Amino acid sequence: MSNSDNHLLGHFLLRLTVGILFLVQGIGKFQNPNGVTTMLTGIGFPIPLVFAWILILSEIIFGALILIGYKVKYTAWPLAIILLVATLTVVIPSGGFNSVNFYFHLISIAGLITIALTGPGKWAVSKSH
């Protein structure tokens, strides 16, 4: 396998993992939307019911699009923004900068930005960004 093939395979594995992560988390939230609404209410989000559904549908739809590699230049950014908002409003206030959740969110944001900037890798619906 050439270095170029390894590069494309690496992007594919990153995209697959991140897509599954968001799709599974979104489906979990879909099964209990009241939990998401309650969490958003607890941190003071305005119109928490609306934002709960935006969050749930974004994780499912954009997670699935990342998974199949469709238009990743555009579909990765909303998920990175969701993670950034979650990091600033939930993770840092509850666990600080040394929590495992903080580093998990940081790595996930970096992975999403990498996907957005470098493309989907192998076996994607879209062959470019």
Side-chain angles (χ1 to χ4, degrees):
M1 193 178 285
S2 73
N3 193 27
S4 178
D5 288 338
N6 286 337
H7 182 79
L8 292 173
L9 181 60
H11 284 290
F12 166 72
L13 292 174
L14 176 62
R15 180 176 53 79
L16 185 72
T17 304
V18 170
I20 290 170
L21 170 78
F22 277 98
L23 186 57
V24 168
Q25 291 300 311
I27 291 169
K29 289 176 177 78
F30 183 79
Q31 293 172 338
N32 182 18
N34 291 333
V36 180
T37 305
T38 301
M39 184 263 308
L40 292 174
T41 301
I43 61 173
F45 248 77
I47 48 174
L49 182 61
V50 172
F51 278 105
W53 281 105
I54 290 171
L55 173 63
I56 292 166
L57 294 175
S58 293
E59 287 187 358
I60 292 171
I61 293 167
F62 293 126
L65 293 174
I66 292 289
L67 179 64
I68 66 171
Y70 183 74
K71 301 288 184 185
V72 298
K73 180 179 181 179
Y74 308 106
T75 56
W77 289 109
L79 297 175
I81 292 167
I82 287 169
L83 284 178
L84 180 61
V85 170
T87 301
L88 296 174
T89 59
V90 178
V91 175
I92 293 172
S94 67
F97 291 100
N98 288 324
S99 72
V100 172
N101 281 338
F102 173 75
Y103 290 104
F104 173 78
H105 280 73
L106 192 63
I107 291 167
S108 298
I109 291 168
L112 284 162
I113 292 170
T114 299
I115 292 167
L117 295 177
T118 60
K122 283 186 163 189
W123 305 296
V125 172
S126 297
K127 294 301 175 191
S128 63
H129 292 48

